[in-house]
Amino acid sequence: MYTLGLDIGIASVGWALLAENHIIDLGVRTFDKAETAREGESLNLARRMARLMRRCLDHRKWRLKKLARVLKRHGLIVDTRFFSYENPYVDKEKNLWQLRVEGLDRRLAPEEWARVIYHIAKHRGFHWISKAEEKAAETDSKSEEGKVKQGLAGTRKLMEKKSYRSPAEMLLREIGQNNLTAFRNKRGEYTKALSRVLLGEELKALFEAQRKYGNPHADTTLEAEILGNGDKK
């Protein structure tokens, strides 16, 4: 009767062949770690991250395509290619952040309303994957997640302090409407971070305002299709 023992590590495999009363043979085989020498990261990390990014972009593309179909079905647009960059009938110079603020004060035309909904859905804000992840970010303020947590809390606090009606109104007033690139966060800086909950509240307020101003394309059915009914976003 023989016994084979293995000790498998990330850079070596040790083995020993045992009889009942003695060691028959043993040895070890070493090899290079499957890691980069400097960072110690997996050699497959870049490929894995690229794959995850492709999936994320594919999901986003499919989600926006479904949204365009919903807007067409409700009569806001006549073609799902309306949001394409090649569409010559869309005013690409129109500040959509400004249009989102105007939607709280006046009735938007169908195409304006469609672009506002699409703009919010396209940039739908940060959302924690789990409560545990959000809780972990609270204990490490220097990590990337901790900085995001602080940024989200900061924008919420600023809105409440200055009584802004929506994130779009806050950004326009605080940053200005002439430099749209300033609306984006820079790497490692999240002072303009917006949570998905905050943007959901803005879209809900826009639906209520548009119903108030008599927009026929702001019924509760469309609102529920986009915002969900509490169990699906």
Side-chain angles (χ1 to χ4, degrees), residues 123-141:
H123 308 281
R124 59 179 184 164
F126 184 87
H127 182 66
W128 295 104
I129 297 175
S130 66
K131 291 290 185 182
E133 183 186 38
E134 182 178 5
K135 189 70 175 177
E138 296 178 355
T139 60
D140 188 2
S141 61

Side-chain angles (χ1 to χ4, degrees), residues 109-151:
E111 291 186 352
E112 289 180 323
W113 182 219
R115 293 188 69 198
V116 164
I117 294 174
Y118 194 86
H119 188 249
I120 295 177
K122 188 175 182 180
H123 308 281
R124 59 179 184 164
F126 184 87
H127 182 66
W128 295 104
I129 297 175
S130 66
K131 291 290 185 182
E133 183 186 38
E134 182 178 5
K135 189 70 175 177
E138 296 178 355
T139 60
D140 188 2
S141 61
K142 294 183 179 180
S143 67
E144 197 79 2
E145 292 80 6
K147 293 177 181 177
V148 171
K149 179 82 173 181
Q150 291 177 350

Side-chain angles (χ1 to χ4, degrees), residues 62-91:
W62 173 238
R63 176 171 51 81
L64 292 175
K65 182 180 291 186
K66 290 197 296 182
L67 174 61
R69 291 175 179 173
V70 169
L71 297 176
K72 178 183 177 182
R73 189 169 67 249
H74 283 264
L76 278 81
I77 57 176
V78 296
D79 193 327
T80 56
R81 292 173 295 180
F82 172 79
F83 302 104
S84 170
Y85 287 108
E86 290 76 22
N87 186 350
Y89 302 105
V90 172
D91 181 9

